[in-house]
Structure formats: structure tokens, C-alpha cells
């Protein structure tokens, strides 16, 4: 039989822990296909939570206790708890479960069903059908929780998960082993642990499911969560997303291209110091284009396609191809402009208010030409110059 351990972190939960363990016992008795256990992780709570747990252990044989000498924060408590559960107690699955009666133990069998169906990570969700947050929460708290989670959806461009910040979770050993090494940072010692762990699980391609539950407010004891929690969680996710977006090849390509356009304008001014007459302007123009092409080639090789970096011996031929590709892009733009002027004519389409700028079919075809030219370049770089390495 597979072993599941419900990890319950506690800090000053003397008033709640007995009830929590009793209610877990009730539900454990109904679960037949999993070996169910509890691991309380107490950070030496000054209120003596640990002593009470030791007392309870006499009656509830499934309960283990792990004590951290110092207060280690929620993330610290879960990391030490998971390490103990998976490596010492041979768990196959752990639950994250609050000691303050906020999480409904009756939902545990639903989590197990999802795991039996092949999911690796199950979230107790307040924001899917059947789930809820307490009605008595003030507007402020409701707003932050609901809007915060929807904001995370947009930030992640992922709408499959509804409750990113929930603390009621089931996590398989495989997930823990894959993610754990990246979690030992000061950054994850507190509540950022939850969003960090979930994000990394998602990125590693594990199967995630949600089951609904009705979140109950704590009645006894104090919430340890502070306002920094929301700030830190969102800051963390924004940083991660900016990093992820900057790592996307198309985004790098666009940045290199924009940088190249700026280089071209600056280079034009410099080359005009040498080719200063009207007759030689065409040289200044040509050399400024070539300066930008060289810059684009270098940055593409060092950054955009750094995973497919060219060998020194490949550079001359590749640089030639790169020039041909750029020329192709200019040709595309010219053909589109020429075609538009000759076939449709330069007719006004609309005028921009305040600046009285008239957008005509010529403007539109130029913009379209730039995009189609960029598309061509990106295609050409990928297919002819920085070809995907065969493995
Ligand atoms: N071991 C340990 N447990 C902690 C720590 N901080 C919080 N906890 C426990 O983690 C669980 C969740 O903490 P709460 O303070 O209830 O935070 P919350 O549930 O997110 O917030 P509320 O909605 O206000 O209840 C509880 O069981 C706490 O006792 C900590 O530093 N160490
Ligand atoms: Mg709580």
C-alpha cells in the first residue's frame, strides 16, 4: 500500500492542533487504499504546541512530530517536513495542511482519487465550482485573494489553474525530488514557497489537478501571514515571468532587431561625416545598413541563438547567408510597397486625431512590409543559419 503523510506546520497552534488531528483521524478511518499518517512540524512554538502533540501521539499512533529549533517560516517548515517524510518515513505522497482548521479534511479522499488517476500535484481550490472563501472576509481581503489569483493567470498566460496561492495541496515524491533542489533559498523560506513550488512543478511538466474545498476562517490563534506576503508573491512571479519572456527566442530576436534599427540611425550620422556630399549619401546609407547587419549578426549568434552558436569556421558563409536574408527582407518590403502603390494607389485610410497624421495605404503597406520582412528573417535565421541541432 502506498504511504501518504499529511504535513501540518505549526507555530503557536495549541488551541487548534488537537482538533486538527482528531478530524484527520475520522477521515483516515474511511480511507482504505492508502496508508495515512500525520507529520506535525513545529518550530519550537513558545505556547507548547509540541508538548500537546506528544500527548496526542499516545492516542494517535499515525502522528509523527518533527521539531525545528528555530522558527523557519512556512517554506522552511515544509522543506524540513517533506525531507523527513520522503527520505526518513518513506512517504509516496505528502499533503500540505494548515493546523488552524481552515482546510477541510473530508476532501482528502478527493485528492487521493486524483493521484490515483495519475495526477502528480493536486491543489485544494477555493475558486472552482464547489469551492469558496469565507463570506465574512472583508472586501479588501476578498478582493486581494480573487483579483490576485486572476492577475496571476494573466501574468502566467495560463488559465488552467484557478487557485495558485492555496495552502491545501497533495504532492507526489517525484515532484518533490524534481523541484526540491531549487527551493533551498532564503527567497522561499516564507510564504513565497507556495507559489515558487507550484511554478517550478508546472514548468517541469507535471500533471496538476484541482479539487474544490470551502476555506474556513481560523477561529483560534493568530494568522502568521502578513501584508508582505502578497507583495513578495507578486514580485517573485513578475521577476520570474520577465526572465522567462526574455528567454524566449522571438523576444530576443525583436530586441536585437530594434537595437539594430537604432544602430543603423546612429551609424548613418557617423558615415555621413565621411561620405558628406549628396553624391556619396548612398554610400553612407549602405554602410549604415551594413553596420546594423553586423550588429544583428553578432547579437543573434551570442544571444538569440546562443544555444546554436556557430563554429568559427561556419562564420564567413553564415554571415554571407545572413546578408542575403537581410537583403531578402528589404526586397520583400520593396515589393509590397511597389505593389501597393501600383495596384491600390496611395489612398487615405484614416487620420490620427490631434497630430493630423493621415494614415494611407502606403503607411499600412510599410508597416505590413516590416512585419512580413521580420517574419522572413526569423524564418531564415532558424532554417538556414542557426539550424536546430540534431540530437
Ligand atoms: N512550523 C511553522 N509553521 C508555520 C509558520 N508560519 C505559519 N505556520 C503554520 O502554517 C499554517 C498556516 O499559517 P496561517 O498563519 O494560518 O496562515 P494562513 O493560513 O495562510 O493565513 P490565515 O488565512 O490568516 O489563516 C498554520 O498551521 C501555521 O501554524 C512557521 O514559521 N513555522
Ligand atoms: Mg490559516
Amino acid at each position: 500500500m502506498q504511504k501518504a503523510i499529511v504535513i501540518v506546520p505549526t507555530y503557536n497552534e495549541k488551541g487548534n492542533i488537537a482538533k486538527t488531528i482528531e478530524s484527520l483521524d475520522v477521515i483516515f478511518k474511511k480511507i482504505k487504499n492508502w496508508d495515512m499518517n500525520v507529520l506535525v512540524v513545529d518550530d519550537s512554538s513558545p505556547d507548547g504546541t509540541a508538548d500537546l502533540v506528544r500527548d496526542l501521539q499516545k492516542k494517535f499512533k499515525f502522528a509523527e512530530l518533527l521539531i525545528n529549533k528555530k522558527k523557519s517560516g512556512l517554506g522552511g517548515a515544509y522543506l524540513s517536513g517533506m525531507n523527513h517524510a520522503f527520505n526518513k518515513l518513506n512517504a509516496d505522497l505528502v499533503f500540505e495542511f494548515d493546523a488552524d482548521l481552515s482546510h477541510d479534511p473530508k476532501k482528502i479522499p478527493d485528492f487521493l482519487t486524483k493521484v490515483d488517476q495519475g495526477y502528480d500535484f493536486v491543489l485544494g481550490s477555493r475558486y472552482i465550482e464547489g469551492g469558496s472563501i469565507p463570506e465574512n472576509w472583508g472586501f479588501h481581503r476578498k478582493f486581494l485573494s480573487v483579483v490576485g489569483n486572476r492577475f496571476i493567470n494573466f501574468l502566467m498566460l495560463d488559465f488552467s489553474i484557478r487557485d495558485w496561492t492555496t495552502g491545501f495541496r497533495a504532492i507526489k515524491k517525484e515532484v518533490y525530488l524534481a523541484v526540491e533542489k531549487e527551493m533551498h533559498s532564503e527567497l522561499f523560506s516564507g510564504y513565497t514557497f507556495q507559489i515558487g513550488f507550484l511554478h517550478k512543478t508546472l514548468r517541469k511538466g507535471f500533471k496538476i489537478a484541482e479539487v474544490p474545498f470551502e476555506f474556513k476562517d481560523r477561529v483560534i490563534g493568530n494568522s502568521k501571514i502578513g501584508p508582505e506576503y502578497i507583495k513578495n508573491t507578486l514580485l517573485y512571479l513578475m521577476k520570474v515571468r520577465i526572465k522567462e519572456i526574455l528567454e524566449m527566442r522571438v523576444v530576443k530576436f525583436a530586441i536585437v532587431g530594434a537595437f539594430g534599427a537604432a544602430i543603423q540611425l546612429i551609424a548613418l550620422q557617423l558615415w555621413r561625416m565621411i561620405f558628406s556630399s549628396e553624391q556619396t549619401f548612398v554610400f553612407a546609407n549602405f554602410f549604415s545598413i551594413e553596420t546594423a547587419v553586423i550588429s544583428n549578426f553578432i547579437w543573434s549568434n551570442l544571444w538569440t541563438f546562443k544555444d546554436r552558436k556557430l563554429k568559427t569556421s561556419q562564420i564567413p558563409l553564415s554571415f554571407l547567408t545572413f546578408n542575403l536574408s537581410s537583403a531578402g527582407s528589404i526586397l520583400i518590403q520593396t515589393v509590397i510597397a511597389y505593389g501597393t502603390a501600383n495596384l491600390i494607389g496611395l489612398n487615405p485610410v484614416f487620420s490620427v486625431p490631434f497630430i493630423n497624421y493621415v494614415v494611407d495605404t502606403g503607411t499600412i503597406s510599410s508597416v505590413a512590409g516590416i512585419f512580413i520582412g521580420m517574419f522572413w528573417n526569423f524564418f531564415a535565421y532558424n532554417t538556414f543559419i542557426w539550424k536546430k541541432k540534431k540530437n
Side-chain angles (χ1 to χ4, degrees), residues 9-11 13 41 43 71-74 77 98-100 141 191 215 218 222-225:
T10 53
Y11 196 75
E13 300 287 3
V41 183
D43 287 5
K71 184 166 178 345
S72 53
L74 188 80
D98 285 2
D100 56 4
R141 190 159 180 200
Y191 287 90
F215 186 95
R218 72 154 70 237
N222 301 318
S223 171
K224 282 104 209 159
I225 220 160

Side-chain angles (χ1 to χ4, degrees), residues 268-378:
L268 182 64
Q269 305 314 311
L270 297 177
W271 285 113
R272 286 184 77 171
M273 292 177 188
I274 300 168
F275 302 102
S276 50
S277 72
E278 277 169 31
Q279 287 73 34
T280 53
F281 176 74
V282 56
F283 291 112
N285 191 49
F286 174 78
F287 284 122
S288 71
I289 292 175
E290 202 49 38
T291 310
V293 166
I294 291 170
S295 155
N296 287 0
F297 182 74
I298 292 173
W299 294 117
S300 298
N301 194 39
L302 292 182
W303 191 45
T304 314
F305 293 92
K306 76 162 181 263
D307 53 324
R308 305 178 190 172
K309 205 184 272 161
L310 301 167
K311 293 193 202 80
T312 317
S313 62
Q314 295 174 302
I315 287 181
L317 189 63
S318 299
F319 182 62
L320 187 71
T321 320
F322 192 87
N323 272 277
L324 288 176
S325 147
S326 308
S329 163
I330 294 172
L331 184 70
I332 288 170
Q333 295 180 50
T334 312
V335 168
I336 291 174
Y338 186 82
T340 306
N342 281 280
L343 298 174
I344 318 175
L346 301 179
N347 313 310
V349 182
F350 63 90
S351 94
V352 182
F354 305 114
I355 55 170
N356 277 331
Y357 178 78
V358 178
V359 174
D360 64 2
T361 41
T363 324
I364 290 176
S365 82
S366 293
V367 173
I370 289 172
F371 277 99
I372 296 170
M374 274 171 64
F375 190 82
W376 153 256
N377 267 335
F378 192 61

Side-chain angles (χ1 to χ4, degrees), residues 165-213:
T165 50
T166 178
F168 191 6
R169 299 162 168 211
I171 301 163
K172 268 170 72 168
K173 185 172 186 174
E174 289 82 345
V175 176
Y176 169 76
L177 291 177
V179 169
E180 172 263 338
K181 281 177 273 320
E182 298 167 27
M183 298 301 297
H184 293 276
S185 137
E186 187 53 34
L187 188 65
F188 300 122
S189 64
Y191 287 90
T192 312
F193 175 83
Q194 298 291 36
I195 201 86
F197 204 107
L198 177 55
H199 174 257
K200 289 178 196 297
T201 302
L202 189 69
R203 284 295 174 259
K204 293 198 191 296
F206 285 105
K207 282 183 76 185
I208 301 175
E210 281 181 295
V211 299
F213 83 103

Side-chain angles (χ1 to χ4, degrees), residues 35-302:
D35 170 16
M36 301 300 298
N37 303 270
V38 166
L39 173 63
V40 175
V41 183
D42 185 63
D43 287 5
S44 305
S45 301
D47 75 348
T49 304
D51 292 330
L52 178 58
V53 173
R54 279 193 201 92
D55 240 22
L56 291 162
Q57 279 181 304
K58 290 176 197 142
K59 186 173 171 202
F60 301 105
K61 298 294 178 208
F62 57 75
E64 298 265 354
L65 174 64
L66 178 71
I67 296 192
N68 291 323
K69 288 204 181 67
K70 278 198 311 221
K71 184 166 178 345
S72 53
L74 188 80
Y78 270 129
L79 271 183
S80 62
M82 287 182 195
N83 174 49
H84 194 72
F86 287 124
N87 296 325
K88 300 265 156 55
L89 305 175
N90 286 319
D92 301 292
L93 180 77
V94 298
F95 280 81
E96 294 185 3
F97 197 83
D98 285 2
D100 56 4
L101 307 168
S102 289
H103 298 157
D104 181 1
K106 287 196 286 302
K107 289 288 171 177
I108 286 179
D110 294 352
F111 284 71
L112 295 172
T113 305
K114 289 284 181 197
V115 173
D116 291 336
Q117 286 169 359
Y119 288 96
D120 305 301
F121 194 114
V122 187
L123 296 162
S125 180
R126 297 161 293 180
Y127 303 114
I128 57 174
E129 178 97 43
S132 65
I133 52 176
E135 243 159 60
N136 63 319
W137 273 11
F139 173 77
H140 192 66
R141 190 159 180 200
K142 275 186 184 161
F143 181 86
L144 281 177
S145 188
V146 176
V147 176
N149 268 290
R150 293 299 74 76
F151 181 70
I152 292 173
N153 281 140
F154 280 100
L155 210 58
M156 299 297 299
L157 290 179
D158 181 318
F159 298 86
S160 60
I161 297 170
R162 302 295 289 176
D163 198 342
W164 294 76
T165 50
T166 178
F168 191 6
R169 299 162 168 211
I171 301 163
K172 268 170 72 168
K173 185 172 186 174
E174 289 82 345
V175 176
Y176 169 76
L177 291 177
V179 169
E180 172 263 338
K181 281 177 273 320
E182 298 167 27
M183 298 301 297
H184 293 276
S185 137
E186 187 53 34
L187 188 65
F188 300 122
S189 64
Y191 287 90
T192 312
F193 175 83
Q194 298 291 36
I195 201 86
F197 204 107
L198 177 55
H199 174 257
K200 289 178 196 297
T201 302
L202 189 69
R203 284 295 174 259
K204 293 198 191 296
F206 285 105
K207 282 183 76 185
I208 301 175
E210 281 181 295
V211 299
F213 83 103
E214 294 182 350
F215 186 95
K216 295 277 180 305
D217 241 345
R218 72 154 70 237
V219 184
I220 302 169
N222 301 318
S223 171
K224 282 104 209 159
I225 220 160
E228 41 65 63
Y229 154 73
I230 294 165
K231 199 185 103 206
N232 288 345
T233 299
L234 289 181
L235 266 182
Y236 167 76
L237 264 195
M238 284 201 252
K239 273 193 210 147
V240 165
R241 284 302 282 164
I242 290 172
K243 220 176 133 227
E244 282 181 352
I245 288 168
L246 285 179
E247 274 162 12
M248 285 165 66
R249 206 187 296 282
V250 255
V251 173
K252 290 181 176 178
F253 169 82
I255 293 173
V256 168
F259 183 67
I263 292 277
Q264 188 175 336
L265 284 177
I266 296 165
L268 182 64
Q269 305 314 311
L270 297 177
W271 285 113
R272 286 184 77 171
M273 292 177 188
I274 300 168
F275 302 102
S276 50
S277 72
E278 277 169 31
Q279 287 73 34
T280 53
F281 176 74
V282 56
F283 291 112
N285 191 49
F286 174 78
F287 284 122
S288 71
I289 292 175
E290 202 49 38
T291 310
V293 166
I294 291 170
S295 155
N296 287 0
F297 182 74
I298 292 173
W299 294 117
S300 298
N301 194 39
L302 292 182

